[in-house]
Amino acid sequence: MYVAELTKRRYRGKTPKEIHGPDDVVGLVGKKLRKEKRENFLVLLLNARHEVMSVETVSVGSLNASIVHPREVFRSAVIQSAASVVLVHNHPSGDPEPSEEDLSITKRLVEAGDLLGIGVLDHVIVAGRGIVSFRSRQLL
């Protein structure tokens, strides 16, 4: 009840952003992430209509690494009763290709989301030379 009231107040008079694909994700957080000099890992919390409830920073790492734990990724999603999430992080190096660590943590987060009943819709990597969507590449 409390979260629902806060959500109503937050979006009163505003049209919530809907996420239909990686371009919507990049439009929402891409500009900020491309400027970052360190790796940032964000999670977009979505309601059942794929409207963004909030954008949470899970981790800020070093130039080429960020520590991400499922507990931290899903904590806000559980508290805010998110229906699904979109994972987003940047590669300050400029190369958007996913590393082995990116593939491994994504698999782990999808499994954790399945256990919690919170779907992971996509994992988007934003970099200076482009973006990679795990969903578009059928890596989820």
Side-chain angles (χ1 to χ4, degrees):
M1 182 89 157
Y2 176 73
V3 172
E5 181 59 29
L6 285 178
T7 303
K8 275 191 235 173
R9 289 181 188 181
R10 184 175 190 179
Y11 290 115
R12 191 174 294 151
K14 297 179 189 174
T15 304
K17 303 276 189 218
E18 291 183 27
I19 301 297
H20 298 288
D23 292 336
D24 295 329
V25 173
V26 173
L28 184 64
V29 296
K31 187 175 181 180
K32 175 194 178 304
L33 285 178
R34 282 193 174 106
K35 292 179 185 177
E36 295 293 336
K37 301 291 184 222
R38 298 189 305 173
E39 196 166 292
N40 286 246
F41 194 98
L42 311 177
V43 60
L44 309 183
L45 307 181
L46 309 178
N47 65 19
R49 294 182 177 157
H50 295 186
E51 297 168 338
V52 178
M53 297 167 52
S54 77
V55 178
E56 304 287 332
T57 300
V58 174
S59 174
V60 176
S62 63
L63 177 64
N64 62 354
S66 183
I67 297 172
V68 178
H69 193 279
R71 174 182 55 242
E72 301 304 320
V73 171
F74 289 101
R75 181 169 39 106
S76 294
V78 170
I79 291 169
Q80 295 185 41
S81 299
S84 57
V85 297
V86 174
L87 311 171
V88 189
H89 81 277
N90 66 322
H91 281 178
S93 67
D95 181 10
E97 288 303 311
S99 66
E100 286 300 318
E101 291 84 10
D102 293 337
L103 297 169
S104 173
I105 191 62
T106 301
K107 181 178 185 231
R108 191 168 171 209
L109 292 172
V110 168
E111 290 169 357
D114 288 344
L115 284 172
L116 293 168
I118 301 172
V120 175
L121 299 182
D122 202 352
H123 184 166
V124 178
I125 300 174
V126 178
R129 294 191 299 258
I131 66 164
V132 169
S133 162
F134 282 51
R135 169 88 46 212
S136 296
R137 288 198 178 176
Q138 300 175 341
L139 296 172
L140 286 182

